[in-house]
Amino acid sequence: YVPNSGWTEESRGRRAAFDEEARKFVAAHRLAAIDSAAVSAAAASGTAGTAGTAPGGGGRDAVDDLLRPRPLLWCGDLNVASGPRDSTDEAFFCAEFPRDKFNGSRKAFELATPPDHRGMPAFLPSERLRFKACLAAGGLVDAWRALHPLDGGGEDGAAE
């Protein structure tokens, strides 16, 4: 579950904390997914440290195989539109504000809300920056954008 930013400082704080935890996680697991129990079992197999052991035969090669870099795949709805091209109506979503909380006054909302927290949750500039930081920290790729680079816009999301 990825928390949505919501309209309140508390909910934005939960989302920011999640994003930071996720960034740290993907950075720590960027190149290796290590099963420590399997490493211990391979090392204790009786041939640990023996050079030239056949792959899958235990020992040092088994440990090396478990420690080799592996890709990290992160899937799911991350509750963020990474850029304008991922929005059906960017101007509308970025202009939204909780009317009931501010008696319908956009001016009151803007005075009370930092610019990077303005707009509908999932479209906030602060969320997009943290999402990009998570991708960069983990060496991850937005697969949809990599496969459809021109859908809805160019690299920066601007319509072409």
Side-chain angles (χ1 to χ4, degrees), residues 31-62:
L31 294 176
I34 301 171
D35 180 342
S36 59
V39 170
S40 297
S45 67
T47 56
T50 304
T53 306
R60 183 72 222 160
D61 286 345

Side-chain angles (χ1 to χ4, degrees), residues 20 35 39 41 87 94 122 147 155:
E20 180 60 13
D35 180 342
V39 170
S87 170
C94 290
L147 295 171
E155 183 59 33

Side-chain angles (χ1 to χ4, degrees), residues 15-99:
R15 175 56 192 250
F18 171 86
D19 288 343
E20 180 60 13
E21 289 172 359
R23 187 197 61 75
K24 288 178 180 177
F25 176 85
V26 297
H29 294 83
R30 182 174 183 166
L31 294 176
I34 301 171
D35 180 342
S36 59
V39 170
S40 297
S45 67
T47 56
T50 304
T53 306
R60 183 72 222 160
D61 286 345
V63 172
D64 288 343
D65 183 56
L66 289 168
L67 295 175
R68 74 180 163 75
R70 289 177 166 65
L72 173 65
L73 180 63
W74 186 11
C75 307
D77 180 356
L78 302 179
N79 282 334
V80 64
S82 64
R85 63 187 160 190
D86 296 309
S87 170
T88 55
D89 190 337
E90 182 73 1
F92 171 80
F93 291 123
C94 290
E96 276 299 289
F97 68 101
R99 288 168 181 78

Side-chain angles (χ1 to χ4, degrees), residues 9 12 102 108-118:
E9 283 299 317
R12 284 194 298 267
F102 293 95
F109 170 70
E110 290 176 356
L111 287 171
T113 309
D116 64 337
H117 291 312
R118 293 180 191 159

